[in-house]
Amino acid sequence: MADAPLILIGSGGHACVVAETARLAGWQIAGHIAPQGGGDALLGDWLGDDDVLAAHLAKGWVCALGLGFVDAATAARRAALLARIDPAHLATVLHPCATVAPSAQIGAGGFVAAHSVVNTRASLGIGALVNTGAIVEHHTNTGRNVHIATGARLAGGVTLGDDVLAGAGCVVRQGVRIGDGAVIGAGCVVLSDVPAAATWVGNPGRAM
C-alpha cells in the first residue's frame, strides 16, 4: 500500500530509478539499506545494512528492491533477499508512464519502469523487474526474480523461468521457453527454447 513508509534496498543507479518512480507513484521514502552509507540523496537517509531490515518491516514498513543484475554478487543478494522477505512486505512499484493491461498480473515486489508495456494476460512473478521501454506481450509468464532489461521485447506466450536475465534490446520469439537462471545477452534474437543456466548471444541466438 502506497501509504506505508517505503525502504529502498540498494544504493546504485537502479535504486535511484526505483526511488524516483516510487515517489511519482505516491510512495513516501523512509530511507535506504545498503552495506555502506553515502548513497545518492534521492534514496533518503541510510538506515543500515541488510541486518536491520526485519526490524523496520516489523513496524509495518514495506521495501522495494533497488538491485538489478549488474553482476553475479548483486544478483545473488537480490535472490537471497527475495527468499527471506515475506511477499506482504514487498512493494510493487509501477511508473505512471508504464502501460499495464488490466488483466495482467504483477507479483509482489515487481517493478515496471517508464514507457514499458505489460500486455494482456501477462503474468510476472515475485520480484520481476521490467526496465525502461521493455515490452512483455500477451500471455507471457515469468518466474520469480526475473530482470527484463531496457528495450527488451518478449513476444506473446513467452515463458521465463526463475532468475532469468533478458538483456537490453533482446528479442524473444513468440512461444519460446527460457529455463531457470539463463542469461540472454544484449541484442540477442532468441528463436528457440533456451536451456536452464545457459548464456545465449547473437542473432540468431546461440549458446555462448
Side-chain angles (χ1 to χ4, degrees):
M1 54 185 176
D3 56 348
L6 178 66
I7 305 168
L8 294 162
I9 300 177
S11 59
H14 181 62
C16 293
V17 172
V18 175
E20 288 205 315
T21 300
R23 287 190 176 94
L24 286 170
W27 293 92
Q28 172 194 346
I29 306 296
H32 72 285
I33 285 176
Q36 297 178 336
D40 192 289
L42 289 169
L43 306 175
D45 294 336
W46 180 57
L47 303 175
D49 61 19
D50 292 348
D51 291 339
V52 306
L53 179 60
H56 289 301
L57 296 182
K59 297 185 288 189
W61 295 8
V62 294
C63 62
L65 293 177
L67 304 168
F69 282 44
V70 293
D71 53 43
T74 306
R77 180 179 171 220
R78 179 185 172 88
L81 285 164
L82 282 172
R84 70 181 254 212
I85 298 172
D86 184 331
H89 292 141
L90 290 170
T92 300
V93 179
L94 310 179
H95 196 286
C97 292
T99 299
V100 178
S103 60
Q105 297 181 0
I106 312 294
F111 176 76
V112 182
H115 305 297
S116 53
V117 176
V118 181
N119 223 330
T120 303
R121 298 293 187 196
S123 179
L124 305 181
I126 291 173
L129 190 172
V130 181
N131 226 324
T132 308
I135 297 175
V136 179
E137 263 299 348
H138 63 90
H139 296 86
T140 287
N141 292 282
T142 83
R144 62 188 291 124
N145 193 34
V146 165
H147 184 165
I148 301 167
T150 302
R153 293 172 173 84
L154 309 183
V158 167
T159 300
L160 273 60
D162 296 338
D163 307 308
V164 169
L165 169 60
C170 72
V171 177
V172 181
R173 189 171 71 176
Q174 185 167 349
V176 163
R177 301 179 67 87
I178 297 176
D180 294 348
V183 174
I184 307 302
C188 182
V189 177
V190 180
L191 302 177
S192 58
D193 292 353
V194 176
T199 298
W200 276 33
V201 297
N203 180 8
R206 60 195 181 279
M208 186 173 169

